[in-house]
mmCIF file of all heavy atoms in Angstrom:
data_model
loop_
_atom_site.group_PDB
_atom_site.id
_atom_site.type_symbol
_atom_site.label_atom_id
_atom_site.label_comp_id
_atom_site.label_asym_id
_atom_site.label_seq_id
_atom_site.Cartn_x
_atom_site.Cartn_y
_atom_site.Cartn_z
ATOM 1 N N ASN X 24 -29.807 1.960 37.277
ATOM 2 C CA ASN X 24 -30.071 0.570 37.335
ATOM 3 C C ASN X 24 -30.336 -0.081 35.983
ATOM 4 O O ASN X 24 -31.364 -0.585 35.780
ATOM 5 C CB ASN X 24 -31.171 0.237 38.418
ATOM 6 C CG ASN X 24 -31.152 -1.260 38.763
ATOM 7 O OD1 ASN X 24 -30.065 -1.929 38.614
ATOM 8 N ND2 ASN X 24 -32.209 -1.731 39.277
ATOM 9 N N TYR X 25 -29.375 0.069 35.151
ATOM 10 C CA TYR X 25 -29.549 -0.321 33.633
ATOM 11 C C TYR X 25 -29.252 -1.835 33.405
ATOM 12 O O TYR X 25 -28.849 -2.519 34.355
ATOM 13 C CB TYR X 25 -28.512 0.457 32.869
ATOM 14 C CG TYR X 25 -27.059 0.204 33.211
ATOM 15 C CD1 TYR X 25 -26.334 -0.768 32.851
ATOM 16 C CD2 TYR X 25 -26.411 1.176 34.056
ATOM 17 C CE1 TYR X 25 -25.005 -0.940 33.118
ATOM 18 C CE2 TYR X 25 -25.144 1.053 34.486
ATOM 19 C CZ TYR X 25 -24.433 0.052 33.998
ATOM 20 O OH TYR X 25 -23.152 -0.152 34.375
ATOM 21 N N TYR X 26 -29.588 -2.257 32.369
ATOM 22 C CA TYR X 26 -29.325 -3.648 31.898
ATOM 23 C C TYR X 26 -27.927 -3.735 31.376
ATOM 24 O O TYR X 26 -27.529 -3.007 30.639
ATOM 25 C CB TYR X 26 -30.370 -4.139 30.915
ATOM 26 C CG TYR X 26 -31.695 -4.458 31.484
ATOM 27 C CD1 TYR X 26 -32.617 -3.396 31.695
ATOM 28 C CD2 TYR X 26 -31.989 -5.781 31.832
ATOM 29 C CE1 TYR X 26 -33.938 -3.760 32.309
ATOM 30 C CE2 TYR X 26 -33.270 -6.129 32.477
ATOM 31 C CZ TYR X 26 -34.213 -5.017 32.652
ATOM 32 O OH TYR X 26 -35.407 -5.340 33.203
ATOM 33 N N ARG X 27 -27.323 -4.861 31.661
ATOM 34 C CA ARG X 27 -26.014 -5.158 31.201
ATOM 35 C C ARG X 27 -26.204 -6.380 30.119
ATOM 36 O O ARG X 27 -26.917 -7.194 30.351
ATOM 37 C CB ARG X 27 -24.997 -5.669 32.228
ATOM 38 C CG ARG X 27 -24.684 -4.674 33.228
ATOM 39 C CD ARG X 27 -23.697 -5.144 34.316
ATOM 40 N NE ARG X 27 -24.437 -6.226 35.060
ATOM 41 C CZ ARG X 27 -23.807 -7.357 35.585
ATOM 42 N NH1 ARG X 27 -22.500 -7.492 35.364
ATOM 43 N NH2 ARG X 27 -24.535 -8.253 36.318
ATOM 44 N N ALA X 28 -25.411 -6.204 29.051
ATOM 45 C CA ALA X 28 -25.499 -7.280 28.000
ATOM 46 C C ALA X 28 -24.386 -8.349 28.328
ATOM 47 O O ALA X 28 -23.218 -8.076 28.342
ATOM 48 C CB ALA X 28 -25.307 -6.658 26.619
ATOM 49 N N ILE X 29 -24.870 -9.528 28.678
ATOM 50 C CA ILE X 29 -23.884 -10.528 28.868
ATOM 51 C C ILE X 29 -23.982 -11.543 27.681
ATOM 52 O O ILE X 29 -24.998 -11.941 27.393
ATOM 53 C CB ILE X 29 -24.297 -11.375 30.283
ATOM 54 C CG1 ILE X 29 -24.322 -10.366 31.505
ATOM 55 C CG2 ILE X 29 -23.394 -12.559 30.532
ATOM 56 C CD1 ILE X 29 -22.891 -9.695 31.691
ATOM 57 N N THR X 30 -22.930 -11.895 27.265
ATOM 58 C CA THR X 30 -22.792 -12.871 25.998
ATOM 59 C C THR X 30 -22.566 -14.204 26.583
ATOM 60 O O THR X 30 -21.699 -14.577 27.195
ATOM 61 C CB THR X 30 -21.696 -12.407 25.159
ATOM 62 O OG1 THR X 30 -21.826 -11.134 24.805
ATOM 63 C CG2 THR X 30 -21.680 -13.323 23.779
ATOM 64 N N LEU X 31 -23.414 -15.159 26.215
ATOM 65 C CA LEU X 31 -23.326 -16.566 26.452
ATOM 66 C C LEU X 31 -22.623 -17.234 25.251
ATOM 67 O O LEU X 31 -23.019 -17.035 24.049
ATOM 68 C CB LEU X 31 -24.760 -17.118 26.648
ATOM 69 C CG LEU X 31 -25.589 -16.594 27.696
ATOM 70 C CD1 LEU X 31 -26.963 -17.293 27.686
ATOM 71 C CD2 LEU X 31 -24.965 -16.671 29.030
ATOM 72 N N SER X 32 -21.667 -18.170 25.719
ATOM 73 C CA SER X 32 -20.874 -18.831 24.608
ATOM 74 C C SER X 32 -21.214 -20.376 24.916
ATOM 75 O O SER X 32 -21.365 -20.779 26.089
ATOM 76 C CB SER X 32 -19.545 -18.616 24.703
ATOM 77 O OG SER X 32 -19.154 -17.241 24.437
ATOM 78 N N ASN X 33 -21.082 -21.146 23.893
ATOM 79 C CA ASN X 33 -21.365 -22.615 24.169
ATOM 80 C C ASN X 33 -20.108 -23.278 24.631
ATOM 81 O O ASN X 33 -18.958 -22.631 24.574
ATOM 82 C CB ASN X 33 -21.807 -23.240 22.819
ATOM 83 C CG ASN X 33 -21.116 -23.158 21.676
ATOM 84 O OD1 ASN X 33 -19.797 -22.815 21.825
ATOM 85 N ND2 ASN X 33 -21.607 -23.355 20.477
ATOM 86 N N SER X 34 -20.194 -24.610 24.753
ATOM 87 C CA SER X 34 -18.878 -25.218 25.344
ATOM 88 C C SER X 34 -17.864 -25.326 24.364
ATOM 89 O O SER X 34 -16.592 -25.326 24.652
ATOM 90 C CB SER X 34 -19.410 -26.712 25.703
ATOM 91 O OG SER X 34 -20.391 -26.672 26.730
ATOM 92 N N ILE X 35 -18.185 -25.572 22.991
ATOM 93 C CA ILE X 35 -17.157 -25.631 22.022
ATOM 94 C C ILE X 35 -16.369 -24.407 21.923
ATOM 95 O O ILE X 35 -15.159 -24.304 21.809
ATOM 96 C CB ILE X 35 -17.810 -25.942 20.627
ATOM 97 C CG1 ILE X 35 -18.422 -27.284 20.585
ATOM 98 C CG2 ILE X 35 -16.878 -25.782 19.502
ATOM 99 C CD1 ILE X 35 -19.319 -27.711 19.477
ATOM 100 N N THR X 36 -17.072 -23.124 22.120
ATOM 101 C CA THR X 36 -16.359 -21.944 22.096
ATOM 102 C C THR X 36 -15.410 -21.836 23.236
ATOM 103 O O THR X 36 -14.247 -21.414 23.148
ATOM 104 C CB THR X 36 -17.451 -20.727 22.136
ATOM 105 O OG1 THR X 36 -18.210 -20.793 21.030
ATOM 106 C CG2 THR X 36 -16.744 -19.369 22.323
ATOM 107 N N LYS X 37 -15.828 -22.233 24.397
ATOM 108 C CA LYS X 37 -14.929 -22.181 25.636
ATOM 109 C C LYS X 37 -13.731 -23.127 25.426
ATOM 110 O O LYS X 37 -12.590 -22.669 25.889
ATOM 111 C CB LYS X 37 -15.738 -22.552 26.906
ATOM 112 C CG LYS X 37 -16.717 -21.492 27.241
ATOM 113 C CD LYS X 37 -17.490 -21.722 28.568
ATOM 114 C CE LYS X 37 -18.478 -20.724 28.678
ATOM 115 N NZ LYS X 37 -18.207 -19.691 29.678
ATOM 116 N N ILE X 38 -13.924 -24.249 24.812
ATOM 117 C CA ILE X 38 -12.726 -25.257 24.634
ATOM 118 C C ILE X 38 -11.850 -24.526 23.515
ATOM 119 O O ILE X 38 -10.621 -24.422 23.776
ATOM 120 C CB ILE X 38 -13.293 -26.498 24.052
ATOM 121 C CG1 ILE X 38 -13.995 -27.271 25.128
ATOM 122 C CG2 ILE X 38 -12.150 -27.345 23.577
ATOM 123 C CD1 ILE X 38 -14.807 -28.463 24.673
ATOM 124 N N LEU X 39 -12.374 -23.907 22.536
ATOM 125 C CA LEU X 39 -11.408 -23.339 21.495
ATOM 126 C C LEU X 39 -10.714 -22.115 22.200
ATOM 127 O O LEU X 39 -9.489 -21.984 21.936
ATOM 128 C CB LEU X 39 -12.341 -22.785 20.343
ATOM 129 C CG LEU X 39 -11.536 -22.066 19.301
ATOM 130 C CD1 LEU X 39 -10.430 -22.789 18.685
ATOM 131 C CD2 LEU X 39 -12.499 -21.458 18.322
ATOM 132 N N GLU X 40 -11.446 -21.368 23.009
ATOM 133 C CA GLU X 40 -10.652 -20.186 23.694
ATOM 134 C C GLU X 40 -9.616 -20.769 24.581
ATOM 135 O O GLU X 40 -8.545 -20.146 24.629
ATOM 136 C CB GLU X 40 -11.685 -19.349 24.449
ATOM 137 C CG GLU X 40 -12.480 -18.376 23.505
ATOM 138 C CD GLU X 40 -13.260 -17.323 24.350
ATOM 139 O OE1 GLU X 40 -12.573 -16.437 24.740
ATOM 140 O OE2 GLU X 40 -14.410 -17.556 24.542
ATOM 141 N N SER X 41 -9.910 -21.905 25.354
ATOM 142 C CA SER X 41 -8.923 -22.435 26.143
ATOM 143 C C SER X 41 -7.559 -22.891 25.380
ATOM 144 O O SER X 41 -6.524 -22.617 25.857
ATOM 145 C CB SER X 41 -9.448 -23.672 26.926
ATOM 146 O OG SER X 41 -10.505 -23.255 27.804
ATOM 147 N N LEU X 42 -7.896 -23.463 24.270
ATOM 148 C CA LEU X 42 -6.722 -23.973 23.416
ATOM 149 C C LEU X 42 -5.928 -22.678 22.852
ATOM 150 O O LEU X 42 -4.758 -22.675 22.938
ATOM 151 C CB LEU X 42 -7.199 -24.773 22.246
ATOM 152 C CG LEU X 42 -7.769 -26.151 22.635
ATOM 153 C CD1 LEU X 42 -8.484 -26.876 21.369
ATOM 154 C CD2 LEU X 42 -6.740 -27.033 23.248
ATOM 155 N N LEU X 43 -6.638 -21.675 22.440
ATOM 156 C CA LEU X 43 -5.975 -20.493 21.846
ATOM 157 C C LEU X 43 -5.218 -19.774 22.978
ATOM 158 O O LEU X 43 -4.162 -19.210 22.754
ATOM 159 C CB LEU X 43 -7.033 -19.600 21.185
ATOM 160 C CG LEU X 43 -7.699 -20.080 19.962
ATOM 161 C CD1 LEU X 43 -8.724 -19.155 19.516
ATOM 162 C CD2 LEU X 43 -6.700 -20.569 18.924
ATOM 163 N N TYR X 44 -5.685 -19.728 24.225
ATOM 164 C CA TYR X 44 -5.232 -19.049 25.320
ATOM 165 C C TYR X 44 -3.787 -19.571 25.596
ATOM 166 O O TYR X 44 -2.829 -18.799 26.011
ATOM 167 C CB TYR X 44 -6.090 -19.145 26.570
ATOM 168 C CG TYR X 44 -5.522 -18.339 27.731
ATOM 169 C CD1 TYR X 44 -5.679 -16.901 27.708
ATOM 170 C CD2 TYR X 44 -5.061 -18.869 28.859
ATOM 171 C CE1 TYR X 44 -5.158 -16.135 28.753
ATOM 172 C CE2 TYR X 44 -4.622 -18.138 29.928
ATOM 173 C CZ TYR X 44 -4.713 -16.805 29.800
ATOM 174 O OH TYR X 44 -4.299 -16.143 30.885
#
Side-chain angles (χ1 to χ4, degrees):
N24 192 18
Y25 57 87
Y26 282 86
R27 295 179 295 145
I29 302 297
T30 306
L31 301 177
S32 298
N33 61 18
S34 298
I35 294 171
T36 300
K37 291 185 186 256
I38 291 169
L39 177 61
E40 282 194 81
S41 294
L42 294 171
L43 296 176
Y44 185 70

